[in-house]
Amino acid sequence: MKIVRVLTALVALAAVSACATPFQVAEVQDVMAAPSPTVGTPFTKALFEEYKEATRHEAIDEYEWRHAAAYAEKAERAATGEVVPPEDPANWDVPAAVAPVLKDARATLMDDFAKGARERVPAEAAKAQVSLDCWIEEEWERENDPGCKDTFLATEPKLKQPPAPQVVVPAAPPPLAQPLVILFDYNKSNINASAMQALHDAAPALKAAKPTVIHIDGFTDTVGGKPYNKTLSEKRAKAVAAQLKSLGVDGVTVEVTGHGKEKLAVPTKDNVKEQRNRRAVVTWETAR
Protein backbone atom coordinates (compact mmCIF):
# COMPACT_ATOMS: atom_id res chain seq x y z
CA MET A 1 0.00 0.00 0.00
CA LYS A 2 2.88 2.36 0.74
CA ILE A 3 4.16 1.86 -2.85
CA VAL A 4 0.70 2.71 -4.19
CA ARG A 5 0.62 5.90 -2.14
CA VAL A 6 4.07 6.86 -3.35
CA LEU A 7 3.05 6.31 -6.97
CA THR A 8 -0.07 8.38 -6.39
CA ALA A 9 2.08 11.01 -4.76
CA LEU A 10 4.31 11.16 -7.81
CA VAL A 11 1.36 12.22 -9.90
CA ALA A 12 0.26 14.76 -7.31
CA LEU A 13 3.79 15.99 -6.94
CA ALA A 14 4.15 16.72 -10.61
CA ALA A 15 0.95 18.71 -10.48
CA VAL A 16 1.42 20.74 -7.33
CA SER A 17 5.03 21.08 -6.30
CA ALA A 18 8.55 20.36 -7.31
CA CYS A 19 9.83 21.09 -3.82
CA ALA A 20 8.35 18.15 -1.84
CA THR A 21 9.58 14.63 -2.40
CA PRO A 22 7.18 11.83 -3.35
CA PHE A 23 7.60 10.35 0.10
CA GLN A 24 6.74 13.71 1.70
CA VAL A 25 3.61 13.96 -0.41
CA ALA A 26 2.67 10.43 0.65
CA GLU A 27 3.29 11.38 4.27
CA VAL A 28 0.98 14.40 3.88
CA GLN A 29 -1.75 12.22 2.44
CA ASP A 30 -1.32 9.66 5.22
CA VAL A 31 -1.66 12.33 7.91
CA MET A 32 -4.72 13.90 6.31
CA ALA A 33 -6.40 10.49 6.27
CA ALA A 34 -5.22 9.44 9.72
CA PRO A 35 -7.71 8.93 12.57
CA SER A 36 -7.27 10.53 15.97
CA PRO A 37 -4.45 8.94 17.98
CA THR A 38 -5.25 6.56 20.81
CA VAL A 39 -2.00 7.06 22.69
CA GLY A 40 -0.43 10.06 24.38
CA THR A 41 -1.71 12.84 26.60
CA PRO A 42 -4.65 15.16 25.93
CA PHE A 43 -2.08 17.74 24.82
CA THR A 44 -0.27 15.52 22.31
CA LYS A 45 -3.61 14.31 20.94
CA ALA A 46 -4.75 17.92 20.51
CA LEU A 47 -1.37 18.80 19.00
CA PHE A 48 -1.83 16.05 16.41
CA GLU A 49 -5.22 17.47 15.43
CA GLU A 50 -3.82 21.00 15.09
CA TYR A 51 -0.84 19.88 13.02
CA LYS A 52 -3.14 17.69 10.92
CA GLU A 53 -5.32 20.72 10.15
CA ALA A 54 -2.22 22.80 9.37
CA THR A 55 -1.10 20.00 7.01
CA ARG A 56 -4.47 20.00 5.24
CA HIS A 57 -4.51 23.80 4.96
CA GLU A 58 -1.02 24.00 3.44
CA ALA A 59 -1.65 21.14 1.00
CA ILE A 60 -5.25 21.77 -0.08
CA ASP A 61 -5.77 25.52 0.44
CA GLU A 62 -2.27 26.91 -0.16
CA TYR A 63 -0.73 24.21 -2.41
CA GLU A 64 2.40 24.46 -0.27
CA TRP A 65 3.27 20.77 -0.10
CA ARG A 66 6.73 21.35 1.31
CA HIS A 67 5.24 23.20 4.28
CA ALA A 68 2.47 20.63 4.51
CA ALA A 69 5.11 17.92 4.77
CA ALA A 70 6.80 19.74 7.64
CA TYR A 71 3.51 19.92 9.57
CA ALA A 72 2.72 16.29 8.67
CA GLU A 73 6.04 15.16 10.15
CA LYS A 74 5.19 16.95 13.40
CA ALA A 75 1.69 15.48 13.38
CA GLU A 76 3.09 11.96 13.08
CA ARG A 77 5.42 12.57 16.02
CA ALA A 78 2.59 13.96 18.14
CA ALA A 79 0.48 10.91 17.25
CA THR A 80 3.04 8.72 19.04
CA GLY A 81 2.69 10.80 22.22
CA GLU A 82 5.81 12.91 21.68
CA VAL A 83 5.67 16.44 23.07
CA VAL A 84 6.85 18.22 19.94
CA PRO A 85 8.36 21.64 20.77
CA PRO A 86 7.24 24.81 18.98
CA GLU A 87 9.42 26.32 16.28
CA ASP A 88 12.28 28.61 17.31
CA PRO A 89 12.29 31.82 15.22
CA ALA A 90 16.07 31.96 15.62
CA ASN A 91 16.22 29.07 13.16
CA TRP A 92 14.28 30.99 10.51
CA ASP A 93 15.25 33.92 8.29
CA VAL A 94 12.51 36.23 9.53
CA PRO A 95 12.61 40.03 9.09
CA ALA A 96 14.86 41.72 11.65
CA ALA A 97 12.04 44.01 12.78
CA VAL A 98 9.78 41.13 13.78
CA ALA A 99 12.42 38.74 15.14
CA PRO A 100 12.29 40.13 18.73
CA VAL A 101 8.50 39.94 18.70
CA LEU A 102 8.56 36.29 17.67
CA LYS A 103 11.29 35.53 20.20
CA ASP A 104 9.20 37.07 23.00
CA ALA A 105 6.09 35.24 21.80
CA ARG A 106 7.88 31.89 21.97
CA ALA A 107 9.37 32.69 25.38
CA THR A 108 5.90 33.56 26.67
CA LEU A 109 4.50 30.30 25.28
CA MET A 110 7.28 28.24 26.84
CA ASP A 111 6.69 29.97 30.18
CA ASP A 112 3.00 29.06 29.92
CA PHE A 113 3.98 25.45 29.25
CA ALA A 114 6.39 25.44 32.19
CA LYS A 115 3.51 26.58 34.41
CA GLY A 116 1.30 23.67 33.37
CA ALA A 117 -0.70 25.04 30.42
CA ARG A 118 -0.31 21.78 28.47
CA GLU A 119 -1.98 19.88 31.29
CA ARG A 120 -4.45 22.58 32.33
CA VAL A 121 -5.81 23.62 28.89
CA PRO A 122 -4.43 21.09 26.37
CA ALA A 123 -6.56 22.12 23.40
CA GLU A 124 -5.75 25.82 23.76
CA ALA A 125 -2.06 25.04 24.35
CA ALA A 126 -1.90 23.00 21.15
CA LYS A 127 -3.66 25.72 19.13
CA ALA A 128 -1.28 28.37 20.48
CA GLN A 129 1.78 26.29 19.56
CA VAL A 130 0.70 25.55 15.99
CA SER A 131 -0.43 29.13 15.39
CA LEU A 132 3.02 30.33 16.55
CA ASP A 133 4.68 27.90 14.12
CA CYS A 134 2.42 29.22 11.37
CA TRP A 135 3.14 32.85 12.33
CA ILE A 136 6.89 32.22 12.10
CA GLU A 137 6.42 30.56 8.71
CA GLU A 138 4.35 33.48 7.40
CA GLU A 139 6.97 35.99 8.50
CA TRP A 140 9.67 33.87 6.85
CA GLU A 141 7.65 33.94 3.62
CA ARG A 142 7.12 37.73 4.01
CA GLU A 143 3.36 37.23 3.88
CA ASN A 144 1.01 40.00 4.97
CA ASP A 145 -1.76 37.66 6.16
CA PRO A 146 -2.00 38.14 9.95
CA GLY A 147 -4.28 35.12 10.48
CA CYS A 148 -1.84 32.93 12.40
CA LYS A 149 -0.52 35.88 14.42
CA ASP A 150 -4.05 36.89 15.37
CA THR A 151 -4.89 33.32 16.37
CA PHE A 152 -1.81 33.12 18.58
CA LEU A 153 -2.48 36.48 20.25
CA ALA A 154 -6.11 35.50 20.88
CA THR A 155 -5.28 32.02 22.19
CA GLU A 156 -2.13 32.50 24.29
CA PRO A 157 -3.82 34.52 27.07
CA LYS A 158 -6.10 31.53 27.70
CA LEU A 159 -3.01 29.57 28.77
CA LYS A 160 -2.29 31.80 31.75
CA GLN A 161 -2.40 30.22 35.16
CA PRO A 162 -5.54 31.43 36.92
CA PRO A 163 -4.82 33.69 39.89
CA ALA A 164 -4.96 32.06 43.28
CA PRO A 165 -8.30 32.70 44.96
CA GLN A 166 -8.13 35.48 47.48
CA VAL A 167 -8.53 34.29 51.01
CA VAL A 168 -10.86 36.65 52.79
CA VAL A 169 -10.08 36.74 56.46
CA PRO A 170 -13.23 37.66 58.34
CA ALA A 171 -12.87 40.79 60.38
CA ALA A 172 -12.65 40.26 64.09
CA PRO A 173 -15.86 41.24 65.82
CA PRO A 174 -15.64 44.45 67.85
CA PRO A 175 -14.95 44.01 71.55
CA LEU A 176 -18.05 43.16 73.55
CA ALA A 177 -18.87 45.54 76.36
CA GLN A 178 -19.63 44.11 79.79
CA PRO A 179 -22.08 43.29 81.15
CA LEU A 180 -24.31 41.49 78.65
CA VAL A 181 -27.90 41.70 79.91
CA ILE A 182 -30.56 39.24 78.71
CA LEU A 183 -34.19 40.02 79.57
CA PHE A 184 -36.98 37.48 80.20
CA ASP A 185 -40.75 37.41 79.91
CA TYR A 186 -42.87 37.40 83.04
CA ASN A 187 -42.58 34.17 85.02
CA LYS A 188 -40.53 32.54 82.20
CA SER A 189 -37.03 31.08 82.00
CA ASN A 190 -36.97 30.23 78.29
CA ILE A 191 -35.00 32.38 75.85
CA ASN A 192 -37.43 34.51 73.85
CA ALA A 193 -36.81 35.76 70.30
CA SER A 194 -35.22 39.08 71.21
CA ALA A 195 -32.99 37.44 73.84
CA MET A 196 -31.98 34.77 71.31
CA GLN A 197 -30.95 37.47 68.82
CA ALA A 198 -28.95 39.30 71.48
CA LEU A 199 -27.04 36.12 72.38
CA HIS A 200 -26.49 35.23 68.72
CA ASP A 201 -25.04 38.69 68.05
CA ALA A 202 -22.83 38.61 71.15
CA ALA A 203 -21.45 35.07 70.83
CA PRO A 204 -18.70 35.77 68.21
CA ALA A 205 -17.29 38.67 70.22
CA LEU A 206 -17.52 36.71 73.44
CA LYS A 207 -15.56 33.84 71.87
CA ALA A 208 -13.01 36.31 70.46
CA ALA A 209 -12.48 37.70 73.96
CA LYS A 210 -11.18 34.25 75.01
CA PRO A 211 -12.61 34.40 78.51
CA THR A 212 -11.16 32.21 81.22
CA VAL A 213 -14.32 32.37 83.38
CA ILE A 214 -17.87 33.41 82.51
CA HIS A 215 -20.25 34.49 85.27
CA ILE A 216 -23.98 34.32 84.66
CA ASP A 217 -26.22 35.78 87.37
CA GLY A 218 -29.99 35.32 87.21
CA PHE A 219 -32.60 37.67 88.69
CA THR A 220 -36.39 38.12 88.97
CA ASP A 221 -38.77 40.96 89.63
CA THR A 222 -40.56 41.30 92.98
CA VAL A 223 -43.65 39.24 92.14
CA GLY A 224 -43.77 35.95 94.06
CA GLY A 225 -42.06 34.45 97.07
CA LYS A 226 -38.33 34.24 97.67
CA PRO A 227 -37.89 30.44 97.27
CA TYR A 228 -39.79 30.41 93.99
CA ASN A 229 -37.91 33.41 92.60
CA LYS A 230 -34.59 31.93 93.69
CA THR A 231 -35.30 28.81 91.63
CA LEU A 232 -36.61 30.85 88.68
CA SER A 233 -33.51 33.06 88.62
CA GLU A 234 -31.24 29.99 88.55
CA LYS A 235 -33.22 28.56 85.62
CA ARG A 236 -32.76 31.81 83.74
CA ALA A 237 -29.00 31.81 84.30
CA LYS A 238 -28.75 28.16 83.24
CA ALA A 239 -30.82 28.83 80.10
CA VAL A 240 -28.39 31.55 79.05
CA ALA A 241 -25.41 29.28 79.76
CA ALA A 242 -26.91 26.50 77.64
CA GLN A 243 -27.65 28.84 74.76
CA LEU A 244 -24.13 30.30 74.77
CA LYS A 245 -22.71 26.79 74.64
CA SER A 246 -24.91 25.93 71.66
CA LEU A 247 -23.55 29.05 69.95
CA GLY A 248 -19.99 27.82 70.34
CA VAL A 249 -18.98 29.57 73.54
CA ASP A 250 -17.59 26.49 75.25
CA GLY A 251 -14.39 25.13 76.70
CA VAL A 252 -14.50 27.71 79.44
CA THR A 253 -15.55 27.65 83.08
CA VAL A 254 -19.08 28.97 83.53
CA GLU A 255 -20.32 29.96 86.98
CA VAL A 256 -24.12 30.18 87.35
CA THR A 257 -25.80 31.94 90.28
CA GLY A 258 -29.46 32.70 91.02
CA HIS A 259 -30.23 35.78 93.13
CA GLY A 260 -34.03 35.73 93.07
CA LYS A 261 -35.52 39.16 93.66
CA GLU A 262 -32.45 40.54 95.36
CA LYS A 263 -30.22 43.17 93.75
CA LEU A 264 -32.91 44.73 91.61
CA ALA A 265 -31.84 46.67 88.51
CA VAL A 266 -34.85 48.95 89.00
CA PRO A 267 -35.98 49.35 92.64
CA THR A 268 -39.70 48.61 93.00
CA LYS A 269 -42.15 47.74 95.71
CA ASP A 270 -43.08 44.12 96.30
CA ASN A 271 -45.32 42.37 93.75
CA VAL A 272 -44.37 44.74 90.89
CA LYS A 273 -43.84 43.33 87.38
CA GLU A 274 -40.75 44.95 85.90
CA GLN A 275 -39.02 43.33 82.94
CA ARG A 276 -35.73 45.13 83.55
CA ASN A 277 -35.49 43.13 86.76
CA ARG A 278 -36.30 39.83 85.01
CA ARG A 279 -32.82 39.34 83.66
CA ALA A 280 -29.59 37.34 83.43
CA VAL A 281 -26.34 39.28 83.57
CA VAL A 282 -23.28 37.86 81.80
CA THR A 283 -19.78 38.99 82.76
CA TRP A 284 -16.42 37.40 82.08
CA GLU A 285 -12.77 37.35 83.00
CA THR A 286 -9.88 37.15 80.55
CA ALA A 287 -6.25 36.17 80.93
CA ARG A 288 -4.07 39.13 81.77
Side-chain angles (χ1 to χ4, degrees):
M1 293 299 294
K2 187 70 173 181
I3 294 175
V4 172
R5 288 197 297 270
V6 171
L7 292 175
T8 303
L10 285 171
V11 177
L13 180 61
V16 299
S17 176
C19 297
T21 69
F23 289 99
Q24 287 176 321
V25 174
E27 184 178 35
V28 167
Q29 293 174 331
D30 284 345
V31 166
M32 289 193 296
S36 299
T38 58
V39 299
T41 65
F43 171 74
T44 60
K45 292 176 181 178
L47 196 61
F48 166 82
E49 298 295 345
E50 292 292 337
Y51 277 130
K52 177 180 177 180
E53 173 54 28
T55 300
R56 187 209 63 78
H57 174 73
E58 292 292 335
I60 305 303
D61 300 335
E62 300 293 335
Y63 302 103
E64 292 280 0
W65 283 71
R66 180 162 55 92
H67 296 159
Y71 287 125
E73 186 267 337
K74 289 187 175 184
E76 288 187 329
R77 290 163 59 192
T80 68
E82 179 183 346
V83 180
V84 181
E87 288 292 332
D88 187 342
N91 299 328
W92 292 70
D93 181 22
V94 297
V98 78
V101 177
L102 292 171
K103 179 181 178 181
D104 290 345
R106 187 181 192 276
T108 299
L109 180 64
M110 296 306 293
D111 182 63
D112 292 333
F113 288 169
K115 293 177 179 177
R118 291 187 181 104
E119 295 75 26
R120 189 171 54 254
V121 283
E124 291 82 357
K127 181 177 287 293
Q129 173 168 325
V130 177
S131 63
L132 176 62
D133 286 2
C134 176
W135 181 12
I136 293 171
E137 177 204 321
E138 287 179 343
E139 294 293 351
W140 175 74
E141 291 183 312
R142 274 51 174 187
E143 289 188 3
N144 295 322
D145 183 2
C148 292
K149 174 184 176 181
D150 290 346
T151 299
F152 176 82
L153 295 178
T155 305
E156 186 278 325
K158 300 176 183 179
L159 276 56
K160 298 301 182 187
Q161 192 168 16
Q166 293 185 341
V167 178
V168 179
V169 179
L176 184 63
Q178 298 195 51
L180 172 63
V181 178
I182 304 300
L183 301 179
F184 289 83
D185 295 330
Y186 174 70
N187 200 31
K188 300 291 185 182
S189 61
N190 60 293
I191 307 294
N192 62 26
S194 60
M196 184 72 73
Q197 186 63 54
L199 289 170
H200 186 275
D201 293 342
L206 184 54
K207 286 190 289 185
K210 298 181 179 179
T212 55
V213 180
I214 296 176
H215 304 279
I216 306 177
D217 294 276
F219 302 88
T220 68
D221 58 23
T222 59
V223 177
K226 287 185 178 181
Y228 179 82
N229 282 327
K230 177 74 170 178
T231 300
L232 180 58
S233 65
E234 290 175 351
K235 289 181 179 179
R236 288 172 174 171
K238 289 178 180 178
V240 171
Q243 190 58 47
L244 285 174
K245 183 176 181 180
S246 71
L247 292 171
V249 183
D250 52 10
V252 59
T253 300
V254 179
E255 296 182 352
V256 174
T257 306
H259 299 275
K261 56 184 180 179
E262 298 176 358
K263 300 181 181 180
L264 299 174
V266 179
T268 68
K269 295 180 180 181
D270 203 23
N271 291 318
V272 175
K273 297 179 181 179
E274 172 56 63
Q275 187 179 41
R276 288 173 291 178
N277 288 331
R278 300 192 299 267
R279 70 199 190 280
V281 178
V282 183
T283 57
W284 54 94
E285 302 172 24
T286 58
R288 296 183 181 275

